[in-house]
Amino acid sequence: MSASRTGIGWDSHRLAEGRPLVLGGITIPHTHGLDGHSDADVLAHAITDALLGAACLGDIGEHFPDTDEAFRGADSLALLREAVVRCAAAGWAPVHADATLVMERPKVKAHKPAMEEALAAALGLRGADVNVKASTGEGIGFVGREEGVAALATVTVERVPATTSSSARPRI
Ligand code: MG
């Protein structure tokens, strides 16, 4: 059995007035934020899906359904931390994450180090093991029209001794 695996993740959320813009756990000043059942952190969601994919544990919607009131307004980094616990229970630990935000505005370059540190902390990694990139929609498509924001991610996991199921309790 291979000792490492890589998963991919993709997510998009609609931009709306009156919502905070939370990306990678960092709230960024902007006229609009992302709409969704949780805090709609599109970057954290893509990374969570990539992590679950690497561990062959399904997807974020199966683990944290948007029909569940428990997850209304949820801190997506808390969901990511819980996904890390569930992966550990299955014998997989993240070792690297790379992600791309696809959004028109605002520029997020200044916030990338803080996002990387916050995401790394949730993944149990060092900031140097997490990379966040940013791209734009060049004025076309839903991103270019500033209707929404998308994110892509890969996460690589390595085989670790599986934790007991008792430690996989939800802790969000
Ligand atoms: Mg999402």
Side-chain angles (χ1 to χ4, degrees):
M1 190 183 304
S2 173
S4 71
R5 295 173 173 175
T6 296
I8 63 167
W10 153 269
D11 195 26
S12 61
H13 279 266
R14 187 182 297 273
L15 281 162
E17 288 185 87
R19 293 272 301 181
L21 180 61
V22 182
L23 297 170
I26 305 300
T27 301
I28 296 172
H30 191 45
T31 56
H32 290 63
L34 295 175
D35 202 11
H37 186 69
S38 66
D39 64 9
D41 186 338
V42 67
L43 179 56
H45 292 180
I47 289 175
T48 302
D49 246 357
L51 172 66
L52 291 168
C56 290
L57 287 177
D59 64 38
I60 190 170
E62 292 166 357
H63 286 264
F64 312 112
D66 64 7
T67 52
D68 189 332
E69 282 302 310
F71 303 124
R72 181 173 295 281
D75 172 358
S76 294
L77 288 190
L79 304 183
L80 178 55
R81 288 194 294 272
E82 173 60 19
V84 170
V85 170
R86 294 184 188 188
C87 288
W92 296 101
V95 294
H96 171 255
D98 182 30
T100 301
L101 272 169
V102 190
M103 59 188 294
E104 211 70 1
R105 290 187 310 137
K107 294 295 181 197
V108 295
K109 183 178 180 183
H111 302 284
K112 287 198 290 187
M115 291 184 206
E116 289 167 350
E117 288 293 335
L119 291 163
L123 288 162
L125 298 175
R126 302 170 305 149
D129 298 319
V130 175
N131 193 65
V132 174
K133 308 183 298 299
S135 183
T136 74
E138 293 285 339
I140 56 175
F142 74 90
V143 169
R145 293 190 297 269
E146 299 186 46
E147 295 169 0
V149 172
L152 302 126
T154 65
V155 172
T156 298
V157 298
E158 288 187 350
R159 175 67 79 183
V160 292
T163 60
T164 60
S165 58
S166 62
S167 67
R169 289 193 308 271
R171 58 177 189 184
I172 54 173

